[in-house]
Amino acid sequence: MRLNKTATAAVAGLIMLPLAACGSTTATTGSGSAKSGATLTYWASNQGTSLDNDKQVLSPELAKFTKQTGIKVNLEVVPWADLLNRVLAATTSGKGPDVVNIGNTWSSSVQATGAFLPFDDATLTAIGGKSRFLAGSMSATGVAGQPPAAVPIYSMAYGLYYNKKQFKAAGISSPPKTWDDFVIDAKKLTTPSHWALSLEAGSKTENIHTAFTLSQQQGGSFFDSSGKATFNTPQNVAALKQYVDFMQTDKIVNPSDAQYSNGTEALKDFATGTTSMVFWQAAQASLKQLGMSPDDIGVAPVPLPAKLPAGGRPVTSMVAGINLGIFKNTKSKDAAIAFVKFMTSTPEQEVLNKTYGSLPSVTDAYSDPAFQTPNVLVIKDVLSNSAAPMPQASGESQFEKLVGAAMSSLFADAATGKPVTNGQIAGALAAAQQQVTN
Amino acid sequence: MPHHGAGEELVVDTIKTKVDSVRAPVSADARVVSGQAPVKPARPRKRRRQWLPYVLLIPAVVMELMIHIIPMLIGVMMSFFKMTQLYLGNWRQAPFAHLDNYRLAMDINQPAGKALLHSFVVTIAFTVLVLVFSWSLGLFAAVLTQRPFRGRGIVRTLLLIPFALPIFASVITWNFMAQRDTGVINHVLVNQLHLTQGNPFWLIGGNSFITITLVVIWRTWPFAFLMMSAGMQSIPADVYEAAVLDGAGIVTQLRRVTLPLLAPVNRVLVLVLFLWTFNDFTTPYTLFGDTTPAQADLISIHIYQNSFGTWNFGTGSAMSVLLLLFLMVVTGFYLVLVNRRTDSA
Amino acid sequence: MHEPNWFRWTRRVGLFLLMVFTLIPIYVMVSSAVKPLQDVQGVFTWWPSHFTLAPFRDMWTTIPLARYFINSLVVATASSLASVLIALLAAYSISRYRFRGRQTFTVVVLSTQMFPGILFLLPLFVMFVNIGNATGINLYGSRLGLILTFLTFTLPFAIWMLIGYIDSIPRELDEAALVDGNGPLGALFRVVVPAAIPGIVAVAIYAFMTAWGEVLFASVMTDDTTRTLAVGLRGYATQNNVYWNQIMAASLTVSVPIVIGFLLLQRFMVAGMTAGSVK
């Protein structure tokens, strides 16, 4: 086929057209003072038991906001599977919501795209000041030294949820504090018809959260101080191996769990008594919804090694939580800031966190007795004392996807009877590391 | 036998093949005449009408440019830039990456290149298996239903259902069937037929390759069946009668009459099946969701996860371009092969 | 015609096995759609513990199924009609006229069949966004954008098929219409189109089915209000429970019209694809 000259020229000309028409997304600075009567678009994350449930929880609060300020809010609740992609798509296209929930671990990646409004000192003052927030949660808002890309609204940490009734029946008097005790107890609880632990082993997010914690305990880290990926290290390999061994060596996890990828199945197994333990964030509310009797719900910090290896840190959880951010392109900057102020106000913090079973991210909300029950205090203690923020590097979201996927794959191997060795884990981590571009 | 010179005309006409009236000497050795509808010599049209064909083409040309040609060229361009999440907001500032993206994709000693090669091999194996089985089953069923029998209409209709079902509906159903603890496959294999013990996994691990191949064969063979049935319908009965008179049994008829006369249909069918199967994205995406096992890592979903998954659009585009080049080479070879065989027929 | 016994038996057994292979998943779909939730959460049973139509009722509320249905319907119908119209004009031009660029166009169009969809995904995304920003016509996340995108898949095949089909319509018909005083377009619409109905129907069906089931572009180019069924059905699996019975019920509901339509009209599709031989 020979395109004649005219055709070639025509095609070339037509290519130039869209390139000329498009430009970089320009940041529109917020329009002045007219904020009352504005309408905000808000993408909320799925914190409740279903998208509908979130709508029911949030709508009355948003109505309160409209009553106070005259600003209307269009709510869309986005499932977790879609949220990161939607946020990044909005970043590319310049078309997105005004305010959005993000997983706090995404803060650095989102910060690097430059699409979010930085919370500089002026903005932080406008919402009530930086000192109101929990220090731990504030550390997970972007790269250290730069203004936060988003502010925390719900704070959470992982705990070891255990079934008190089943523990008692097995003769275990208290939840395990060390990994050795954990495995011993788990083996006691595992019978031919019952598994001790359920893992959401097909879920990228759950996998890397646990991997991170175990890696911290081993003294490892996934990024160095300059933000470069350091996945393939002996400490990280040891951490992942320990995790996969629960299924392949200790045999306290049902191999079928390698298929669990929704973010709901492992918890459901625990709630129905199919398993006795699960590592989860802020599960109290969901467990009640799933029908578990509150008396049976026990929570303790995730175990630590009996003796920390050299460089190991006593970390039992990553700093989990949801941050609220403002898109730079928003046409109603003042309205958006007012919304953030509303969501981080003490009354709202109390109401929303009570409903969702998470912890407030502002210190003055803790006086509410709802946040003083034993189970909540365990989590609060973890959050304040033994939680570390996930790496705040711009490659973080890639880390979640790549290493998370690698771990799901390793679990699949373990489940189908293929032994997972240190060498394989190292190879998988190396492959993931190579694909991080930042 | 009308013989066109090598070149565009033959290529075009081969692609445009349809089963036409056969003009073949009646013998057991029926030869194929790859004919087209006789092309009437173009009537000399009045000069002033000559703008009309161009005008009629305009909508198609505009659409093709807008949705195929230009995006493809942009895609090719993107493969030369480092388009990562950092530059998505202002992609004009993405740094020029020379051939880095291609090097990354093709360096089989490094993990990314190795993974791409692995995905490629898996896809080839998958496509060949699907092609062979779909075509064979399609031919088998077409031959069996060639002659009328009671209930033929119903059988034909039922057998077409998998192809008629929207892909996501059928794949979701297969996903449900392949569930380890609640699916029918394991229920039959383990609980009812006792063929194996301990529920095997069908959606993760090595078996996932078998599962996806089976699902796509299930969906694709009815299409081959449909096409070949239709092709067979237009083979005149007298050709078969003549073959029978010459003493040909059913199998011989198949070999000497049916297959040769189906050649034009098959030429297109095989190519189309190859391309559709090789590029299949919907099936692995719906069957495995976000966590595609390495053993069933088909190339289109591999590229998707390495571009949209990690927001490395530069490498994703490079991989897509490589895929395109491969398909062009294969298609080119195929057409040359097919034309040579028609020439020598 | 004489049929040996072994052939008869091969036919019976062969077709029976193929039917079983074909229909088991259909049976699973249908039977699961009338099962209560516990049935689909435990070991598989061939027969429901008790029949219930609740899944057909609940499926409308678990996810906004009606909205997805309408979106799919609108998008598939529109892209089907657009494909037919554009392809018809182009095919008539190619078939009836000889002009410079004719071969080029045909070969280019047909070769686009082999392009992997993933190659277009991001460029189209970026293009739509920029067109939207520049002209205010919102393409990304809109139904219009999705319709245009689907033409990517349907147009080449449609053009190819219609060229073949129109080729097989004798030119005498055109001539007769022209002699009667119609212009070429009149000839097209008054004479050629009616004669080409099987081909046109085939193209329309193909385009509709393709658009209905497309997942790659639909997952990227839609937001919650414009999402199509193909992508939306995955929403059943993200709640606390995976509602398999509702998934099966929904799959069944959205498939039945397509399947019935296809089966009724498939002879047109076949006729369209093997045009020219039946005399």
Side-chain angles (χ1 to χ4, degrees):
Chain A
M1 129 184 130
R2 292 176 297 279
L3 279 180
N4 60 33
K5 294 206 192 79
T6 25
T8 325
V11 168
L14 277 156
I15 299 175
M16 294 302 135
L17 195 58
L19 290 182
C22 47
S24 49
T25 53
T26 48
T28 26
T29 46
S31 50
S33 52
K35 65 179 189 194
S36 165
T39 307
L40 291 175
T41 306
Y42 173 39
W43 285 359
S45 52
N46 174 212
Q47 304 300 125
T49 51
S50 73
L51 303 183
D52 242 9
N53 173 242
D54 278 296
K55 281 211 187 90
Q56 287 169 11
V57 168
L58 288 171
S59 300
E61 310 307 311
L62 298 179
K64 273 187 218 161
F65 176 67
T66 310
K67 200 149 159 240
Q68 284 177 19
T69 60
I71 305 172
K72 289 214 272 300
V73 181
N74 283 337
L75 170 67
E76 183 183 341
V77 184
V78 183
W80 279 107
D82 295 343
L83 187 56
L84 182 57
N85 279 336
R86 296 278 298 275
V87 168
L88 292 177
T91 308
T92 320
S93 64
K95 264 189 188 15
D98 297 287
V99 279
V100 62
N101 286 1
I102 57 170
N104 66 351
T105 54
W106 304 340
S107 304
S108 319
S109 302
V110 154
Q111 194 178 47
T113 64
F116 273 44
L117 192 71
F119 277 81
D120 51 19
D121 291 331
T123 321
L124 280 173
T125 316
I127 60 170
K130 188 168 173 181
S131 52
R132 290 186 63 224
F133 293 95
L134 283 183
S137 307
M138 244 341 190
S139 65
T141 54
V143 174
Q146 291 187 25
V151 290
I153 49 172
Y154 313 128
S155 298
M156 292 171 258
Y158 274 83
L160 169 64
Y161 281 86
Y162 64 97
N163 188 318
K164 282 190 185 156
K165 197 159 75 174
Q166 291 178 358
F167 261 53
K168 206 149 143 225
I172 307 173
S173 52
S174 63
K177 289 204 177 59
T178 69
W179 286 116
D180 296 327
D181 286 341
F182 173 79
V183 174
I184 294 174
D185 288 345
K187 289 194 176 152
K188 269 192 222 159
L189 290 158
T190 305
T191 69
S193 55
H194 181 85
W195 297 94
L197 175 70
S198 48
L199 294 179
E200 196 77 8
S203 156
K204 292 184 221 170
T205 338
E206 292 298 326
N207 279 340
I208 52 153
H209 289 171
T210 313
F212 170 76
T213 306
L214 295 177
S215 152
Q216 290 284 304
Q217 293 178 358
Q218 298 291 323
S221 75
F222 287 95
F223 288 89
D224 65 19
S225 46
S226 66
K228 195 158 144 309
T230 53
F231 298 166
N232 183 14
T233 62
Q235 295 89 350
N236 291 341
V237 171
L240 262 58
K241 181 93 184 353
Q242 179 187 7
Y243 195 36
V244 177
D245 276 349
F246 289 153
M247 184 185 281
Q248 71 171 352
T249 319
D250 303 321
K251 298 202 194 301
I252 54 179
V253 178
N254 188 345
S256 289
D257 288 13
Q259 296 175 119
Y260 287 173
S261 58
N262 271 355
T264 57
E265 295 121 314
L267 189 66
K268 182 138 183 296
D269 276 355
F270 175 72
T272 53
T274 312
T275 58
S276 314
M277 293 189 278
V278 71
F279 303 118
W280 212 261
Q281 303 177 25
Q284 196 87 11
S286 307
L287 288 173
K288 272 201 262 182
Q289 270 255 350
L290 288 168
M292 193 166 180
S293 158
D295 297 329
D296 294 340
I297 306 178
V299 63
V302 167
L304 286 165
K307 186 161 155 336
L308 279 176
R313 296 170 274 269
V315 168
T316 66
S317 168
M318 36 81 75
V319 172
I322 306 295
N323 292 355
L324 182 60
I326 305 177
F327 262 91
K328 233 190 235 178
N329 287 358
T330 174
K331 298 204 172 54
S332 335
K333 183 166 143 189
D334 289 330
I337 295 181
F339 182 71
V340 174
K341 181 163 179 210
F342 172 76
M343 293 292 275
T344 55
S345 65
T346 309
E348 281 315 303
Q349 281 286 300
E350 287 175 3
V351 167
L352 289 172
N353 284 294
K354 242 187 273 189
T355 318
Y356 286 136
S358 48
L359 293 178
S361 52
V362 296
T363 46
D364 24 338
Y366 280 92
S367 48
D368 190 307
F371 303 118
Q372 319 250 354
T373 64
N375 284 355
V376 171
L377 285 175
V378 168
I379 302 288
K380 178 166 181 247
D381 193 63
V382 169
L383 194 55
S384 318
N385 299 326
S386 58
M390 292 271 276
Q392 294 297 318
S394 60
E396 200 281 336
S397 62
Q398 295 183 326
F399 156 62
E400 279 195 29
K401 288 196 174 147
L402 294 166
V403 176
M407 291 176 69
S408 301
S409 197
L410 292 170
F411 269 113
D413 284 344
T416 49
K418 290 218 283 275
V420 173
T421 63
N422 282 334
Q424 269 169 278
I425 299 179
L429 287 173
Q433 181 171 326
Q434 200 210 18
Q435 298 190 60
V436 175
T437 57
N438 46 338
Chain B
M1 165 179 100
H3 176 84
H4 301 263
E8 305 169 57
E9 190 108 352
L10 184 56
V11 169
V12 168
D13 288 333
T14 314
I15 297 176
K16 266 169 44 179
T17 289
K18 33 194 187 311
V19 175
D20 275 88
S21 319
V22 173
R23 288 196 200 92
V26 175
S27 76
D29 233 23
R31 283 171 164 264
V32 177
V33 173
S34 134
Q36 303 82 41
V39 173
K40 291 204 171 170
R43 288 262 184 102
R45 305 239 172 246
K46 303 192 187 93
R47 289 288 154 191
R48 56 188 156 99
R49 279 280 162 84
Q50 215 32 28
W51 51 265
L52 184 62
Y54 292 102
V55 167
L56 289 176
L57 271 189
I58 285 180
V61 168
V62 165
M63 289 313 302
E64 278 296 314
L65 276 175
M66 188 171 123
I67 58 181
H68 260 143
I69 311 294
I70 295 182
M72 189 195 79
L73 291 170
I74 293 183
V76 172
M77 246 184 37
M78 276 200 308
S79 66
F80 294 109
F81 284 84
K82 192 170 165 173
M83 285 277 296
T84 63
Q85 63 187 38
L86 301 173
Y87 298 105
L88 284 179
N90 40 2
W91 51 275
R92 264 185 164 174
Q93 287 157 21
F96 186 61
H98 304 277
L99 289 176
D100 285 348
N101 289 327
Y102 287 95
R103 269 193 222 118
L104 184 74
M106 295 201 291
D107 187 354
I108 56 180
N109 293 320
Q110 294 290 338
K114 212 188 290 187
L116 183 65
L117 183 64
H118 171 82
S119 169
F120 179 76
V121 168
V122 167
T123 314
I124 293 263
F126 162 77
T127 307
V128 166
L129 282 174
V130 168
L131 207 54
V132 164
F133 278 97
S134 300
W135 189 85
S136 310
L137 286 177
L139 182 65
F140 183 58
V143 167
L144 289 181
T145 56
Q146 196 176 8
R147 291 169 239 261
F149 59 90
R150 215 173 46 165
R152 179 172 77 154
I154 297 186
V155 169
R156 264 197 182 148
T157 309
L158 289 178
L159 290 178
L160 284 181
I161 291 182
F163 182 68
L165 273 176
I167 300 184
F168 57 84
S170 52
V171 177
I172 284 183
T173 307
W174 275 96
N175 181 316
F176 179 52
M177 286 167 55
Q179 293 285 319
R180 188 195 186 213
D181 299 313
T182 59
V184 66
I185 294 180
N186 275 346
H187 182 66
V188 168
L189 283 182
V190 177
N191 300 344
Q192 296 196 314
L193 292 180
H194 301 290
L195 282 176
T196 172
Q197 279 193 332
N199 289 353
F201 286 95
W202 293 102
L203 294 172
I204 59 176
N207 287 342
S208 55
F209 180 79
I210 300 177
T211 311
I212 195 168
T213 309
L214 191 63
V215 171
V216 177
I217 293 175
W218 180 84
R219 196 186 67 233
T220 309
W221 84 263
F223 178 69
F225 166 56
L226 184 64
M227 294 301 281
M228 287 197 269
S229 275
M232 284 186 199
Q233 263 174 1
S234 50
I235 300 177
D238 39 324
V239 178
Y240 283 107
E241 276 164 15
V244 168
L245 280 176
D246 278 354
I250 288 196
V251 178
T252 317
Q253 286 174 44
L254 176 65
R255 266 198 315 138
R256 299 286 191 188
V257 175
T258 314
L259 281 177
L261 290 182
L262 272 187
V265 170
N266 279 333
R267 255 184 262 137
V268 177
L269 180 64
V270 167
L271 183 63
V272 163
L273 284 181
F274 177 82
L275 291 174
W276 285 357
T277 309
F278 201 84
N279 282 333
D280 191 349
F281 174 84
T282 307
T283 309
Y285 187 64
T286 315
L287 193 57
F288 300 119
D290 251 343
T291 46
T292 308
Q295 296 89 338
D297 188 19
L298 297 189
I299 195 129
S300 49
I301 200 160
H302 180 89
I303 295 179
Y304 173 81
Q305 282 171 346
N306 281 291
S307 54
F308 273 84
T310 53
W311 288 71
N312 282 346
F313 291 113
T315 37
S317 299
M319 292 194 237
S320 306
V321 170
L322 290 174
L323 174 63
L324 175 63
L325 289 175
F326 168 75
L327 289 175
M328 284 169 93
V329 165
V330 165
T331 309
F333 263 124
Y334 180 81
L335 290 176
V336 164
L337 195 72
V338 146
N339 291 344
R340 238 194 261 138
R341 290 183 68 191
T342 3
D343 282 1
S344 64
Chain C
M1 213 175 279
H2 169 71
E3 274 177 2
N5 257 348
W6 67 264
F7 182 77
R8 279 219 184 92
W9 280 104
T10 312
R11 179 170 68 203
R12 283 185 193 137
V13 173
L15 288 181
F16 175 74
L17 289 175
L18 280 175
M19 297 254 291
V20 168
F21 178 49
T22 300
L23 294 177
I24 284 194
I26 313 293
Y27 175 78
V28 169
M29 196 195 294
V30 171
S31 66
S32 306
V34 291
K35 281 181 180 168
L37 189 58
Q38 316 87 274
D39 278 7
V40 295
Q41 288 182 325
V43 175
F44 180 80
T45 55
W46 287 100
W47 205 249
S49 60
H50 63 267
F51 278 94
T52 165
L53 288 180
F56 285 96
R57 180 198 64 214
D58 298 333
M59 68 186 191
W60 298 101
T61 50
T62 307
I63 62 168
L65 187 65
R67 193 196 313 156
Y68 298 160
F69 201 100
I70 293 179
N71 285 334
S72 278
L73 202 57
V74 166
V75 168
T77 310
S79 59
S80 176
L81 290 176
S83 298
V84 165
L85 195 57
I86 297 177
L88 198 57
L89 294 175
Y92 185 65
S93 164
I94 299 281
S95 171
R96 291 307 192 232
Y97 295 91
R98 302 286 177 271
F99 53 91
R100 253 193 352 180
R102 178 177 170 270
Q103 301 287 29
T104 309
F105 175 79
T106 319
V107 171
V108 167
V109 161
L110 296 173
S111 59
T112 58
Q113 284 266 70
M114 71 174 101
F115 291 179
I118 192 83
L119 185 59
F120 304 108
L121 189 56
L122 183 69
L124 273 179
F125 171 65
V126 170
M127 270 174 64
F128 280 2
V129 161
N130 284 288
I131 292 179
N133 286 343
T135 63
I137 306 173
N138 185 28
L139 288 177
Y140 167 67
S142 74
R143 289 190 196 147
L144 176 61
L146 202 58
I147 294 170
L148 290 177
T149 314
F150 285 160
L151 288 175
T152 319
F153 302 110
T154 56
L155 208 49
F157 190 84
I159 295 177
W160 167 47
M161 233 167 48
L162 281 180
I163 290 179
Y165 208 83
I166 296 184
D167 266 353
S168 72
I169 295 174
R171 283 176 197 240
E172 285 86 22
L173 290 176
D174 291 47
E175 315 276 314
L178 288 171
V179 160
D180 276 351
N182 293 297
L185 282 181
L188 168 64
F189 285 105
R190 287 222 183 88
V191 166
V192 175
V193 166
I197 288 286
I200 292 177
V201 170
V203 165
I205 296 173
Y206 170 77
F208 190 87
M209 283 174 63
T210 308
W212 193 261
E214 207 284 329
V215 157
L216 174 60
F217 287 83
S219 67
V220 171
M221 299 279 196
T222 58
D223 59 25
D224 204 47
T225 46
T226 57
R227 187 153 306 161
T228 58
L229 283 170
V231 183
L233 281 191
R234 302 173 75 210
Y236 283 112
T238 57
Q239 317 294 332
N240 262 348
N241 279 310
V242 181
Y243 295 104
W244 279 115
N245 53 350
Q246 291 181 28
I247 295 177
M248 291 297 119
S251 300
L252 200 56
T253 313
V254 311
S255 304
V256 163
I258 308 284
V259 173
I260 292 184
F262 176 80
L263 293 177
L264 284 179
L265 298 171
Q266 50 103 347
R267 59 194 177 97
F268 286 123
M269 197 163 174
V270 166
M273 286 193 236
T274 59
S277 56
V278 183
K279 294 258 179 357

